[in-house]
Amino acid sequence: MNPKRCAACKYLRRRCPKDCIFSPYFPPNDPQKFACIHRIYGAGNVSKMLQQLPDQTRAEAAESLCFEAKCRVDDPVYGCVGIIHLLQTQIQQTQNQLAKTQAEIAVAQTNLSQTHNSDFM
Amino acid sequence: MNPKRCAACKYLRRRCPKDCIFSPYFPPNDPQKFACIHRIYGAGNVSKMLQQLPDQTRAEAAESLCFEAKCRVDDPVYGCVGIIHLLQTQIQQTQNQLAKTQAEIAVAQTNLSQTHNSDFM
């Protein structure tokens, strides 16, 4: 057994080839990272998705696939779409608070101009 | 050929069984819906994920899987994590705008109280 096998090859119980597609993104010290991705997408699909991308974008793609896979393991019904819904609700709440605060400004400005006008009466 | 085969069985060129796991969520009139999900997860993984869920949550799970798969086809590097980043930026911008507006209120209130105080001098 090669102790330097990447986490993916260790998980798949296979030899880690020199040009392993997983090795740069799944270091041996983080075995859980590949377990999630394998459970949701399957090793073959992940390998295919990474291979179709230019080298310089593969690390980011591996990270985002891991994130989505972890979300799906944590929430099998909504996955990271659940996070999108939460964020949309948060935006709506902040926008409502903003509209309320802007209305308060308009009232304060009206009060201020009425105070000024009454000074001259 | 059974013209009532669901979109998944049509795509997989197989007979659509009576208890087909895909059939309630992939109607024959929307063939693209299954194509995306098959490309990203593979039919076997989707079938496994749906089977592990209680019946009443499977429709929502199928929808969120389709959404994520479509995002990944459209953006192979970031998938729907790209949408999460966009929403987080939007929240940050709205929160900044809210803080600015709240600061404006504080200034307006200070001006108003100064105007009142000068009325009594």
Side-chain angles (χ1 to χ4, degrees):
Chain A
M1 289 288 194
N2 173 3
K4 285 181 181 164
R5 279 188 309 174
C6 75
C9 291
K10 213 182 247 170
Y11 187 94
L12 299 168
R13 294 165 186 260
R14 63 173 208 180
R15 195 179 56 79
C16 189
K18 269 198 171 168
D19 58 347
C20 175
I21 182 84
F22 300 120
S23 158
Y25 322 114
F26 299 96
N29 58 355
D30 188 358
Q32 271 311 302
K33 195 175 169 188
F34 189 77
C36 271
I37 222 173
H38 181 261
R39 185 166 149 196
I40 301 301
Y41 298 99
N45 283 323
V46 175
S47 155
K48 208 169 58 189
M49 286 192 265
L50 292 176
Q51 266 162 345
Q52 284 167 351
L53 290 170
D55 261 20
Q56 69 275 17
T57 62
R58 287 182 188 173
E60 299 249 33
E63 285 310 310
S64 71
L65 285 166
C66 286
F67 180 83
E68 284 183 39
K70 203 182 164 309
C71 286
R72 181 63 59 181
V73 168
D74 292 343
D75 179 352
V77 178
Y78 296 104
C80 75
V81 175
I83 296 181
I84 291 180
H85 288 163
L86 265 177
L87 291 175
Q88 283 173 332
T89 307
Q90 204 183 333
I91 287 177
Q92 195 53 58
Q93 285 170 343
T94 314
Q95 281 173 341
N96 290 348
Q97 208 184 338
L98 181 61
K100 207 180 133 203
T101 310
Q102 283 169 337
E104 279 170 24
I105 283 208
V107 170
Q109 280 172 340
T110 309
N111 288 347
L112 189 61
S113 71
Q114 278 172 351
T115 309
H116 277 161
N117 290 343
S118 65
D119 289 348
F120 296 105
M121 291 239 233
Chain B
M1 290 289 195
N2 172 3
K4 285 179 181 165
R5 279 190 308 174
C6 74
C9 291
K10 212 180 248 173
Y11 187 94
L12 299 169
R13 294 165 186 259
R14 64 174 206 179
R15 195 179 56 81
C16 190
K18 269 199 172 170
D19 58 348
C20 176
I21 182 84
F22 300 120
S23 155
Y25 322 114
F26 299 96
N29 57 355
D30 188 358
Q32 271 310 302
K33 195 174 169 189
F34 190 76
C36 272
I37 222 172
H38 181 260
R39 185 166 149 196
I40 301 301
Y41 298 98
N45 284 322
V46 175
S47 154
K48 208 169 57 189
M49 287 192 266
L50 291 177
Q51 266 161 346
Q52 284 168 350
L53 289 171
D55 261 21
Q56 69 275 19
T57 61
R58 287 182 188 171
E60 300 249 32
E63 284 311 309
S64 71
L65 285 166
C66 285
F67 180 83
E68 285 184 38
K70 202 182 164 310
C71 286
R72 181 64 58 180
V73 168
D74 292 344
D75 179 351
V77 178
Y78 295 104
C80 76
V81 176
I83 296 181
I84 291 180
H85 288 162
L86 265 176
L87 291 175
Q88 283 173 332
T89 307
Q90 204 183 331
I91 287 177
Q92 196 54 57
Q93 285 169 344
T94 314
Q95 280 173 340
N96 290 347
Q97 209 186 335
L98 180 60
K100 208 179 131 205
T101 309
Q102 282 169 335
E104 280 171 24
I105 282 207
V107 170
Q109 279 171 340
T110 309
N111 288 347
L112 188 61
S113 71
Q114 278 172 351
T115 309
H116 277 162
N117 290 343
S118 66
D119 289 350
F120 295 103
M121 290 238 240

